[in-house]
Amino acid sequence: MHVLLLSNDLMTASQIEGAVRSAGGGVSVATTVGKSLDEAENPIDVVILDLSTTGDVAATVSLFREHSSPPRIIAFGPHVHAGKLAAAKEAGCDAVYTRGQFLPQVAAALGLVS
């Protein structure tokens, strides 16, 4: 499984990369959607959107949904950003978590562990 993480938070990116790699997955990290699509070396199975980084969630989700085999899209953000979390659900993300829900269980949320 190859995961694309859109985030500019180095600590969060490191934590997610470690969890995915230790469960046998691969990770690419990008700070912008355009750059991530241009530089993707592997087919993307899952996109993780850090809502603290992502601007227009609906446009971002739409870009990934246009692919012939669209990836699963998971979004996460601070619990105090209820509007962004709701916007991610409305935009069609497959799963939306608060940061506190997602970070402790990254591999499980991705289906990498049972």
Side-chain angles (χ1 to χ4, degrees):
M1 169 184 290
H2 192 77
V3 174
L4 171 63
L5 169 62
L6 288 173
S7 179
N8 61 10
D9 181 333
L10 295 176
M11 295 295 287
T12 298
S14 176
Q15 186 175 354
I16 292 171
E17 280 183 276
V20 172
R21 288 199 170 120
S22 69
V27 181
S28 296
V29 180
T31 56
T32 64
V33 175
K35 188 171 183 164
S36 68
L37 292 172
D38 293 341
E39 296 181 357
E41 296 175 10
N42 299 305
I44 301 167
D45 300 304
V46 178
V47 173
I48 300 174
L49 302 176
D50 179 345
L51 295 174
S52 298
T53 299
T54 307
D56 185 343
V57 177
T60 301
V61 170
S62 179
L63 268 172
F64 287 107
R65 294 291 186 222
E66 291 174 3
H67 288 274
S68 57
S69 12
R72 192 163 57 114
I73 301 175
I74 297 173
F76 73 96
H79 71 280
V80 295
H81 292 163
K84 284 188 175 186
L85 294 167
K89 287 179 186 174
E90 189 174 311
C93 289
D94 297 298
V96 179
Y97 299 95
T98 64
R99 181 179 302 276
Q101 292 171 323
F102 183 65
L103 293 179
Q105 60 147 358
V106 171
L110 295 173
L112 295 171
V113 295
S114 44

